[in-house]
Amino acid sequence: MAGRPAGDRVAAGERGATTIADRVVAKIAAQAAREALPTGVPEGGAPPHATVTVQRGIAYVRVGVELDYPSDIGEQCGAVRARVAQRVRALAGMDVPEVVVRVDRLHSVQARLTALGRVR
């Protein structure tokens, strides 16, 4: 740097800041949601998607998922919440006070088997 003797350290307040775009955090959240689901994406379903708003280092996350049915919906949503919060904290360094999980669609395993002619 011009004007500084070699070997001088730059004070933390003068180094600048790293900002991470909301869409990047949303991609992290969507991938984490996919990892949290036992089957990933249900057959014929869409992958999880997320929207994120970041304010002062805090990420507010909304995730939409499609799930197989019958299954324990509450347990799966809880797993998604925990995984998304953990991954966003680890990869983006942001606090995540809550993760809103919206179930967009349920995919009936029974209906899929009926369509394939495999019902007993």
Side-chain angles (χ1 to χ4, degrees), residues 73-119:
I73 295 169
E75 181 181 325
Q76 289 183 66
C77 289
V80 167
R81 278 187 206 92
R83 181 69 175 175
V84 167
Q86 182 265 329
R87 295 298 283 165
V88 170
R89 263 190 236 105
L91 297 175
M94 297 178 181
D95 289 328
V96 183
E98 72 175 2
V99 177
V100 176
V101 179
R102 182 185 65 245
V103 178
D104 293 331
R105 186 173 176 194
L106 295 174
H107 293 269
S108 171
V109 174
Q110 188 68 28
R112 241 187 345 256
L113 294 175
T114 301
L116 295 173
R118 296 183 184 174
V119 175

Side-chain angles (χ1 to χ4, degrees), residues 12-84:
E14 296 177 22
R15 289 186 207 147
T18 301
T19 52
I20 301 173
D22 293 7
R23 64 190 170 100
V24 173
V25 181
K27 288 183 180 190
I28 292 169
Q31 178 60 37
R34 185 177 301 127
E35 293 167 1
L37 296 174
T39 59
V41 178
E43 186 179 323
H49 58 279
T51 57
V52 175
T53 302
V54 178
Q55 297 174 347
R56 298 184 192 121
I58 299 173
Y60 299 93
V61 182
R62 297 179 63 85
V63 179
V65 296
E66 295 186 10
L67 304 175
D68 280 327
Y69 184 82
S71 64
D72 188 341
I73 295 169
E75 181 181 325
Q76 289 183 66
C77 289
V80 167
R81 278 187 206 92
R83 181 69 175 175
V84 167

